[in-house]
Amino acid sequence: LVQYTPAVDRVNEKVAHLYQPAHPAILKLMKLVIDAGAHAGIQVSLCGEMCSEPIYTVLLLGLGLRYFSVSPIAIPTVKRVIRQVSMREAFELAEECLAGERADEAKALLEKRVVGLLPDFM
């Protein structure tokens, strides 16, 4: 979703800088998909490296994602993040990121807040 929405190939160095998983438009699209799935009783999961990064794990929890598809090596980290963050904290962080206008602002906010919530991970 993050890669195909803006039509950006992460491995193409000419356009890779446009790959921005924290972009508010991408986050709003993810939130719409997660909410629509919940409303319809359809399980929504996200796979990819985004789920494995602690700052994005917290964000995705706050967006309402409950099913994470990660590589086996990332499972302990993701489980630890989920156990250490309250849903209220994750929701508040997601709301702040959704209210932003730029990806760099959202990423900076994520990094700052997640360092405070999860100092072991950063």
Side-chain angles (χ1 to χ4, degrees):
L1 183 68
V2 177
Q3 186 171 338
Y4 293 130
T5 299
V8 173
D9 181 0
R10 293 180 294 193
V11 296
N12 182 332
E13 57 190 53
K14 293 180 182 178
V15 294
H17 67 282
L18 298 172
Y19 178 81
Q20 301 175 335
H23 194 285
I26 297 295
L27 299 180
K28 289 173 185 166
L29 182 55
M30 286 182 182
K31 179 77 173 141
L32 286 171
V33 170
I34 292 166
D35 290 348
H39 181 74
I42 299 170
Q43 177 180 315
V44 174
S45 65
L46 185 76
C47 65
E49 294 305 310
M50 187 177 180
C51 291
S52 303
E53 293 184 40
I55 63 169
Y56 294 122
T57 302
V58 175
L59 173 63
L60 293 167
L61 276 174
L63 291 175
L65 189 71
R66 298 297 176 262
Y67 301 95
F68 293 74
S69 176
V70 297
S71 64
I73 198 162
I75 292 171
T77 300
V78 171
K79 285 174 75 171
R80 213 167 122 221
V81 169
I82 291 170
R83 288 181 181 137
Q84 290 184 4
V85 174
S86 75
M87 291 306 297
R88 181 185 52 77
E89 292 166 329
F91 176 75
E92 288 173 0
L93 181 57
E95 287 296 308
E96 287 183 58
C97 290
L98 286 167
E101 294 183 14
R102 296 185 5 219
D104 58 339
E105 292 171 347
K107 179 111 188 244
L109 173 66
L110 282 169
E111 289 172 351
K112 179 182 175 187
R113 293 278 302 279
V114 173
V115 164
L117 295 170
L118 305 167
D120 301 358
F121 287 95
M122 305 309 276

